[in-house]
Amino acid sequence: MPQSTFSVETDAWLTTVDVTDRIADAVPDDLESGTVTAFVQHTTAGLLVQENEPRLRDDLESFFRELVPDEGHAHDQLDGNADSHLRAALIGPDVTIPVEDGELALGTWQSVLLVECDGPRTRTVVVTTVGE
């Protein structure tokens, strides 16, 4: 199983970064069909498949802010970022995408977004591919 990693620099507390091309670049040239799994190695960031449209990305950020209050959580007594952990728990740390004819088999409007919930930070994404 080929595996690679890449880093993502984020610039805000809650933001999204399109990582689709970085994941596609990790697909080995000789993989015609199979799957690719991308996994973010952090508990305050997540990955999701969604449309990469600026207004929708703003809507996603607003949605997560409204869904999870910034304050009032027990974990905040430790380091003040419980909201980040809760948002990331809703999103999840990974996505799995089919590979067909050597390409990610994403739909027309689908992209992979890293959702930063505790930035700005440097995040590490591990990409694993499995061929048939």
Side-chain angles (χ1 to χ4, degrees):
M1 272 189 280
Q3 193 171 67
S4 62
T5 63
F6 62 87
S7 297
V8 178
E9 299 288 333
T10 64
D11 61 4
W13 180 262
L14 180 59
T15 191
T16 57
V17 178
D18 184 353
V19 294
T20 311
D21 290 342
R22 306 276 307 269
I23 294 169
D25 289 345
V27 175
D29 292 337
D30 62 347
L31 181 65
E32 285 299 312
S33 67
T35 58
V36 60
T37 298
F39 176 83
V40 62
Q41 293 184 313
H42 306 277
T43 60
T44 56
L47 293 172
L48 60 81
V49 174
Q50 194 47 260
E51 184 176 350
N52 180 23
E53 192 280 320
R55 290 164 294 201
L56 180 59
R57 288 171 58 176
D58 289 344
D59 290 340
L60 284 167
E61 294 165 21
S62 295
F63 171 73
F64 289 121
R65 279 191 190 93
E66 292 170 15
L67 194 59
V68 179
D70 289 342
E71 300 173 344
H73 310 286
H75 181 73
D76 286 340
Q77 296 171 2
L78 179 62
D79 59 9
N81 70 345
D83 60 312
S84 301
H85 288 282
L86 296 171
R87 290 174 182 138
L90 292 170
I91 299 161
D94 57 53
V95 296
T96 298
I97 303 161
V99 174
E100 295 176 0
D101 299 321
E103 304 287 332
L104 298 179
L106 292 167
T108 302
W109 302 109
Q110 290 182 317
S111 295
V112 181
L113 303 178
L114 180 139
V115 182
E116 172 64 74
C117 301
D118 193 23
R121 294 196 187 263
T122 302
R123 300 303 190 167
T124 301
V125 177
V126 178
V127 180
T128 305
T129 55
V130 177
E132 296 181 357

